[in-house]
Amino acid sequence: SGNELGDILSINVHFKKNSALRRKKYTWRDHSKSNKTSGALGDLGVHLIDLILYLFDSPFKLDSLKVKMMTVVKEKEQKQVYVDDHSEVYGQLENHVFVNMITSKCTKADECGFSIEVNGQNGVFYYHSRQKNQFLLRTGLTEQMITMPDTWLTDPENEFYGWAD
């Protein structure tokens, strides 16, 4: 909770998949007409932005934002891919919380998943979807893994644990 962490200083939120590496077929999502909508930032980032706005109840300070967008998988079926498959957003919310947001569709399989780290003056909250239904809470020298109830949702095939959540 906010009381345990104290004032929130920064958040790191990452959503990493490997679909650009796994999917070899060229589709409409790779075409130049899609380059502003369906890449890593558009497909995955919108969910992270939604989460940030919900959890921290503060809009982004637009003049603080720095965005890096890359296309790592540049070609499929000998056609150029125009859409970003990796993005990084750095900036600040109006309430002064610093934000680091990474979305990727070109991540090594063992690094895929969703993670969030909330750094407060008194402690740190950390969750990664690889940890199944547990999160880490660190305050001072005390570190504890806290178990959440099992989910009722199931993950689709070929998606990482926690996708359904």
Side-chain angles (χ1 to χ4, degrees):
S1 77
N3 290 341
E4 289 176 89
L5 299 180
D7 289 340
I8 304 303
L9 305 173
S10 68
I11 57 171
N12 300 308
V13 61
H14 301 170
F15 195 2
K16 298 178 180 177
K17 299 177 69 170
N18 62 358
S19 55
L21 301 174
R22 285 187 290 112
R23 296 183 179 139
K24 306 292 186 195
K25 190 173 178 171
Y26 189 88
T27 70
W28 65 270
R29 290 182 175 271
D30 302 310
H31 194 273
S32 62
K33 290 182 179 167
S34 295
N35 74 345
K36 300 285 188 253
T37 59
S38 70
L41 185 57
D43 280 354
L44 307 176
V46 66
H47 302 293
L48 298 185
I49 291 167
D50 222 18
L51 179 66
I52 291 166
L53 295 174
Y54 175 76
L55 290 177
F56 300 97
D57 195 26
S58 179
F60 283 87
K61 192 186 226 178
L62 296 180
D63 65 350
S64 77
L65 295 176
K66 303 286 184 220
V67 179
K68 171 181 171 179
M69 294 172 69
M70 299 168 36
T71 303
V72 177
V73 177
K74 297 184 183 309
E75 191 177 280
K76 291 181 183 177
E77 297 182 319
Q78 297 163 350
K79 295 178 191 163
Q80 184 175 350
V81 173
Y82 290 91
V83 177
D84 64 290
D85 53 21
H86 180 90
S87 76
E88 300 176 21
V89 176
Y90 302 90
Q92 201 174 18
L93 301 178
E94 292 285 351
N95 67 4
H96 306 294
V97 172
F98 288 96
V99 175
N100 165 250
M101 184 179 91
I102 295 176
T103 56
S104 182
K105 294 182 173 190
C106 57
T107 301
K108 291 186 269 178
D110 60 342
E111 295 176 16
C112 287
F114 164 77
S115 67
I116 182 168
E117 179 182 68
V118 180
N119 296 288
Q121 286 185 319
N122 301 332
V124 176
F125 167 91
Y126 180 75
Y127 170 78
H128 195 291
S129 55
R130 281 191 308 259
Q131 297 293 48
K132 306 257 181 227
N133 61 341
Q134 294 185 316
F135 65 88
L136 174 76
L137 187 60
R138 185 181 314 124
T139 52
L141 297 176
T142 304
E143 196 171 277
Q144 54 184 331
M145 288 299 288
I146 298 171
T147 302
M148 300 178 287
D150 284 335
T151 182
W152 291 351
L153 303 171
T154 56
D155 299 321
E157 260 186 67
N158 296 323
E159 292 294 352
F160 53 80
Y161 177 88
W163 187 90
D165 293 341

